[in-house]
Amino acid sequence: MGKLVSVNVGMPKDVQWQGKTVRTGIWKTPVAGPVMVRRINVDGDGQGDLAGHGGEQRAVMVYQIDSYDYWKTYLGRDDLKPGHFGENFTVSGLADDDVCIGDRYRIGDAEFEVTQPRVTCFRVGLRLNEPEMPNLLVAHHRPGFYFRVIGEGRVRAGDDIVRTRRGRHELSVADVDALLYLPHRNFEQLRRAVDVPALSPGWQQSFRDMLAERKSAAPPIAPPVLGWTGFRPLRVTRTRRESPQVLSIWLESADGAVLPQPLPGQYLPVRLPGAGEPPPLRSYSLSGDPAAGVYRISVKREDHGVVSRWLHAHVRPGSVLEAAAPRGDFCLTEDTNPVVLVSAGIGATPVLAMLHALSDAGSGRDIWWLHTTRNRETEAFAGEVAALVASLPHARQRVFYTEAQGRVDQGSVVALGLPADATVYLCGPTQFMADIRQYLGAAGLDPARIHSELFGALPAINPGVVGAGRRRSPHPPDGTRGTGPSITFARSGLTVNWSPDYRSILDLAEACDVPTRFSCRSGVCHLCVTGVVAGTATYLRAPLEKPGDGEVLICSAAPEGDLVLDL
């Protein structure tokens, strides 16, 4: 039998942290007397970030008094008191390696069910002034856990905690936490975990994704890219104007070596010596036949695009560009169901490569080519697309000219009669993709089968940071500039020098207002994982599980030398 040692509550407040304002409810203090626990919260308590905390599945945070004793010794601290770890209930007798997901407990007048381990959030490190705390909680198998409220009622410090039911499969909190965050996973445990109905939906989906990746039911249509490390010179063999604003450029290896075959839909990071200092870097989708043995990129000339204007003005056969290996996971997968390729303007380039691959394979799938452009004059690749569609037995195309027909709307998409089981590949301006995704859902297509390519930086994920969506454009950091290795944020078009004054590459990126994504900031959650285009990084603090080849967790890393990141 356990004991409720303390009931702790606190309302969200704004705190200053690393030059930012963070909205957080992690400051909890004990309360005396009976407290009402309701379906989504404890009376007097609140959360600053409802996307990651609170709600029905995370109504009550629980942490153990014996873990307090452990951390007092490990951290050499004597100031830790109930509420310091952001928990609502400080308890005795409910260890993370004994409590199981789905266990039910009676406390006072209320009944609770264990739903998931603690979310690995940087704010517990902020509260304790121990930035590595999210990492330590997982590494030492002491995360704590959340309750769902089965029956509302009053509780108070001193109440007995009585287990009334054991969770299905008896998977402990510590075991389930390790399945998500630690390497060397037990896949039999993963299969059992998704069969625990009490496990919160978010964790269930994460585990289903892991199992699906292991099965690899849908391999790429082409072999995995062999690639290369860093940049290599590619020579321009020819160019062709596809429309008044779009120029295609064919590239082959400058040393005559065979280029590795890309996956249909991938993009090519290109660095342009002579176009600026430092040489600017941009990424362009590969628009040609992946099996052609040469690469083709197609560049739209933008009025304010320094790089695109330079390419249109200066590139000719014999020019040499520098390129990193093709990359990106917006790729056609092999299947037998219908496929819909949707694009607007220059967004046609990656789906055109997919259409080439389908034609090369003599695909018998139902194929739809849907494209939006201003008028016939601006329609790039018209003849090429028509020939590819004609080569496929079950392909059809529809081009929308907005100058004559107006913008595509929900009615026009629904009227197409697209098959509900189709897989969709979607590329174009951000608002276009958002609208089309909505229209496809209204037409009955499964949102999980709608894949899209995003040009430019990924949307930031900065939980709890006030005003995170109102950033400046990426810029060199304010104050004294670094003198260390150069770091290029390729998607943001910015190169700056490293300074050891920063705790990590993530800190430098934030100082430059480069859009970032993080949660734990200590090498646990992998939300900050970033592709390495060229160069190498080293870990200042070892992550619990290293990411894949060609990737780095920027929250824990620094550059070893000049570094180019897909950020």
Side-chain angles (χ1 to χ4, degrees):
M1 182 183 296
K3 188 75 73 175
L4 182 57
V5 176
S6 178
V7 180
N8 317 296
V9 300
M11 295 303 293
K13 63 180 181 178
D14 291 346
V15 298
Q16 296 305 306
W17 170 79
Q18 295 189 6
K20 306 176 185 67
T21 300
V22 176
R23 184 78 169 165
T24 177
I26 199 167
W27 266 261
K28 311 291 186 190
T29 55
V31 292
V35 180
M36 187 68 185
V37 180
R38 305 185 192 276
R39 186 178 62 84
I40 62 170
N41 223 335
V42 180
D43 276 5
D45 191 56
Q47 296 80 31
D49 170 27
L50 292 175
H53 305 275
E56 183 177 355
Q57 299 295 326
R58 299 179 294 254
V60 180
M61 177 65 211
V62 182
Y63 208 57
Q64 305 86 357
I65 199 69
D66 66 320
S67 286
Y68 270 88
D69 295 336
Y70 179 88
W71 295 120
K72 286 176 182 178
T73 300
Y74 183 87
L75 300 173
R77 293 178 59 163
D78 59 6
D79 62 328
L80 301 179
K81 297 180 175 61
H84 255 110
F85 283 82
E87 79 276 11
N88 300 114
F89 290 176
T90 312
V91 302
S92 65
L94 274 68
D96 287 334
D97 58 3
D98 180 55
V99 171
C100 295
I101 304 299
D103 282 359
R104 290 194 177 185
Y105 294 91
R106 169 69 61 177
I107 308 174
D109 300 329
E111 187 175 7
F112 304 89
E113 183 176 65
V114 180
T115 57
Q116 67 172 71
R118 174 198 295 269
V119 175
T120 57
C121 171
F122 76 99
R123 281 161 288 197
V124 68
L126 166 63
R127 172 68 178 90
L128 294 165
N129 197 27
E130 299 281 353
E132 300 308 306
M133 206 66 223
N135 183 304
L136 293 172
L137 290 171
V138 176
H140 291 247
H141 307 286
R142 294 178 178 270
F145 55 88
Y146 286 102
F147 275 151
R148 180 166 70 96
V149 179
I150 300 297
E152 296 182 349
R154 296 185 182 277
V155 302
R156 66 189 304 162
D159 282 345
D160 290 334
I161 302 176
V162 180
R163 190 173 70 205
T164 60
R165 193 178 79 178
R166 198 63 158 158
R168 183 185 292 181
H169 300 313
E170 299 189 11
L171 290 172
S172 76
V173 168
D175 285 341
V176 171
D177 198 54
L179 285 176
L180 188 64
Y181 294 124
L182 294 178
H184 315 301
R185 293 173 178 83
N186 182 319
F187 280 88
E188 179 54 39
Q189 281 190 339
L190 266 181
R191 281 187 282 271
R192 283 187 282 144
V194 298
D195 189 45
V196 178
L199 183 64
S200 66
W203 283 62
Q204 283 196 22
Q205 188 58 53
S206 294
F207 291 155
R208 288 194 188 97
D209 291 344
M210 290 179 184
L211 290 170
E213 288 174 12
R214 190 167 191 249
K215 289 178 182 178
S216 297
I221 198 169
V225 176
L226 299 176
W228 61 84
T229 301
F231 288 87
R232 64 187 290 183
L234 299 184
R235 180 180 294 110
V236 177
T237 59
R238 65 184 176 115
T239 64
R240 183 175 70 200
R241 194 157 296 282
E242 309 288 358
S243 75
Q245 295 295 101
V246 177
L247 178 71
S248 281
I249 302 167
W250 279 260
L251 301 162
E252 65 177 15
S253 175
D255 60 8
V258 176
L259 293 174
Q261 182 171 329
L263 300 178
Q266 288 192 308
Y267 62 87
L268 189 73
V270 178
R271 190 163 62 189
L272 305 172
E277 189 57 43
L281 187 149
R282 297 291 186 273
S283 294
Y284 296 104
S285 295
L286 290 159
S287 60
D289 183 351
V294 296
Y295 295 163
R296 183 181 76 177
I297 59 174
S298 301
V299 180
K300 180 184 178 184
R301 186 187 187 280
E302 303 285 358
D303 291 340
H304 301 289
V306 173
V307 174
S308 67
R309 287 190 290 114
W310 188 90
L311 284 168
H312 275 246
H314 296 282
V315 163
R316 56 186 54 85
S319 298
V320 175
L321 312 180
E322 296 177 345
R327 62 193 62 232
D329 54 9
F330 178 67
C331 300
L332 181 71
T333 54
E334 183 63 84
D335 210 332
T336 57
N337 67 316
V339 58
V340 180
L341 307 175
V342 190
S343 60
I346 196 61
T349 52
V351 291
L352 179 55
M354 296 179 187
L355 187 62
H356 271 286
L358 291 164
S359 178
D360 287 348
S363 177
R365 300 168 72 176
D366 284 335
I367 299 165
W368 298 69
W369 174 270
L370 307 176
H371 182 65
T372 296
T373 187
R374 186 178 299 114
N375 51 45
R376 292 186 183 277
E377 185 182 16
T378 62
E379 184 186 359
F381 316 110
E384 185 176 340
V385 168
L388 290 168
V389 169
S391 74
L392 290 158
H394 304 293
R396 68 206 79 179
Q397 69 170 314
R398 175 74 185 275
V399 179
F400 299 87
Y401 299 111
T402 58
E403 199 171 75
Q405 302 165 268
R407 293 185 181 276
V408 176
D409 59 17
Q410 181 171 307
S412 56
V413 171
V414 171
L416 291 169
L418 299 174
D421 62 339
T423 298
V424 179
Y425 299 92
L426 170 63
C427 188
T430 302
Q431 189 59 53
F432 168 82
M433 292 194 293
D435 291 343
I436 295 296
R437 182 178 287 274
Q438 178 184 336
Y439 303 157
L440 290 169
L445 277 72
D446 182 356
R449 288 181 174 269
I450 303 173
H451 309 288
S452 55
E453 175 69 302
L454 178 65
F455 293 120
L458 297 172
I461 301 177
N462 304 156
V465 177
V466 177
R470 301 190 297 273
R471 297 177 179 273
R472 298 159 57 188
S473 297
H475 58 85
D478 298 329
T480 304
R481 306 290 171 84
T483 58
S486 68
I487 298 181
T488 297
F489 300 108
R491 287 178 180 253
S492 300
L494 177 69
T495 298
V496 295
N497 290 95
W498 171 254
S499 168
D501 293 341
Y502 296 103
R503 286 176 47 86
S504 66
I505 296 170
L506 174 59
D507 281 1
L508 173 61
E510 290 175 325
C512 298
D513 281 303
V514 170
T516 57
R517 303 158 77 89
F518 66 79
S519 178
C520 73
R521 301 183 72 99
S522 60
V524 181
C525 70
H526 283 224
L527 191 58
C528 74
V529 67
T530 300
V532 176
V533 178
T536 56
T538 185
Y539 284 106
L540 303 174
R541 299 168 299 282
L544 295 183
E545 181 178 22
K546 288 186 177 181
D549 292 341
E551 296 177 326
V552 63
L553 300 180
I554 62 172
C555 74
S556 305
E560 282 193 316
D562 291 348
L563 185 64
V564 180
L565 297 173
D566 188 19
L567 188 68

